[in-house]
Amino acid sequence: MTNTNITIIGIDHGYGNIKTAHTCFRAGVTAYDKEPTFKNNMLIYKGRFYIIGEEHKEFIPDKMADMDYYILTLAAIAKELHIRRITTAHVHIAAGLPLTWVSEQKDSFKSYLLQNESADFTFKDVNYHIEFVGADIFFATLTQILRICSLQLASKLFTTGILSRCRQASGF
């Protein structure tokens, strides 16, 4: 199903787990050039195969050092869209970083998440087409609140400009 409205998806990009409003899974990615034998939680993107959540990613201070967190973001989006029975969407990401890193990495992490205008990928044998319409980076606690908010409330906050005014007032 196609959704022409903006879908806001809050994602807490943790080191141990990736968390959204409805899901929590290990922040682990294993990449393969050929289709692996075991296909649980397999994501296919740009001709590569990724198994999601089999293990935890090792700690690295720069989450943008490789493609892993981008792939984990696609998986998180797919899991949230699957719950809504949507395969095509305009997505606005509300992402969380640790408070101590928000000021240093906010702009670069936003660029990292929005490195493509759109993404076509397959997750768990379902094809997805995502148009990225924006991203906001918050400290992780605020992202947790956004994850818990209902989609209607988050959409109302976004469309009325309350969310952007809160962001401006807080300096984020």
Side-chain angles (χ1 to χ4, degrees), residues 80-92:
E80 283 295 312
L81 294 180
H82 179 75
I83 290 167
R84 297 173 176 94
R85 294 177 167 41
I86 298 170
T87 57
T88 301
H90 296 88
V91 173
H92 187 99

Side-chain angles (χ1 to χ4, degrees), residues 74-150:
L74 295 180
I77 291 169
K79 286 175 177 269
E80 283 295 312
L81 294 180
H82 179 75
I83 290 167
R84 297 173 176 94
R85 294 177 167 41
I86 298 170
T87 57
T88 301
H90 296 88
V91 173
H92 187 99
I93 300 169
L97 286 175
L99 181 58
T100 56
W101 294 354
V102 170
S103 61
E104 294 175 15
Q105 296 183 7
K106 173 179 78 165
D107 294 333
S108 56
F109 195 60
K110 179 177 180 175
S111 295
Y112 173 81
L113 294 174
L114 298 176
Q115 62 186 276
N116 299 301
E117 291 180 9
S118 64
D120 293 296
F121 62 96
T122 302
F123 184 62
K124 294 180 136 183
D125 293 323
V126 177
N127 295 322
Y128 292 91
H129 174 75
I130 306 306
E131 298 284 336
F132 294 105
V133 297
D136 288 299
I137 311 302
F138 302 97
F139 60 92
T141 304
L142 182 55
T143 304
Q144 291 167 354
I145 293 167
L146 290 172
R147 280 191 304 113
I148 295 167
C149 286
S150 71

